Amino acid sequence: SEVLPVTTVLGILRNSTSPAMNNVVSLIDQSDRYSEWWDRNDDCYDPGPTTDPDTTERSQLDHMLLSDALWSRVVPGTAKMHHDWVGSCAKDGGLFSDHWPLTVDL
């Protein structure tokens, strides 16, 4: 099932222009739509995707909003959440961001 946003901030930002901005994340498979891992129980283990808001450690905090002019230049199939970047958790001495970058080619 689809996980729904818990705030209205993205909607406010998208609709703050006319026409509304386009969200690059919409081009990514639903199962890959997360940009942040919060190790909520400090066990250095990511249990993977879940739709349960009380147990999930993944969230979509980072977005890329494009005007229609830029949206029309998006190269199909190039939007990507870079989950291939392997990090570590804080208790292992990891010194990396807990966010995965989002990219798209124009």
Side-chain angles (χ1 to χ4, degrees):
S1 82
E2 184 176 358
V3 178
L4 299 176
V6 295
T7 71
T8 59
V9 173
L10 181 60
I12 292 168
L13 291 172
R14 283 192 67 230
N15 297 310
S16 66
T17 62
S18 182
M21 302 289 270
N22 301 284
N23 190 353
V24 172
V25 172
S26 69
L27 301 174
I28 296 174
D29 289 338
Q30 180 76 32
S31 63
D32 288 331
R33 290 183 192 173
Y34 61 96
S35 64
E36 185 266 343
W37 171 50
W38 170 48
D39 190 15
R40 73 169 51 216
N41 55 8
D42 202 27
D43 65 356
C44 283
Y45 173 72
D46 177 5
T50 176
T51 57
D52 180 355
D54 294 325
T55 62
T56 188
E57 294 188 355
R58 296 177 177 182
S59 60
Q60 182 63 43
L61 295 178
D62 307 287
H63 296 271
M64 185 183 305
L65 302 176
L66 301 178
S67 66
D68 284 346
L70 288 175
W71 188 254
S72 68
R73 296 178 56 193
V74 168
V75 177
T78 63
K80 181 178 180 180
M81 297 296 306
H82 290 270
H83 300 137
D84 51 349
W85 175 50
V86 179
S88 61
C89 62
K91 80 177 194 181
D92 286 339
L95 298 174
F96 69 99
S97 172
D98 57 357
H99 293 247
W100 286 281
L102 166 64
T103 61
V104 67
D105 293 342
L106 301 178

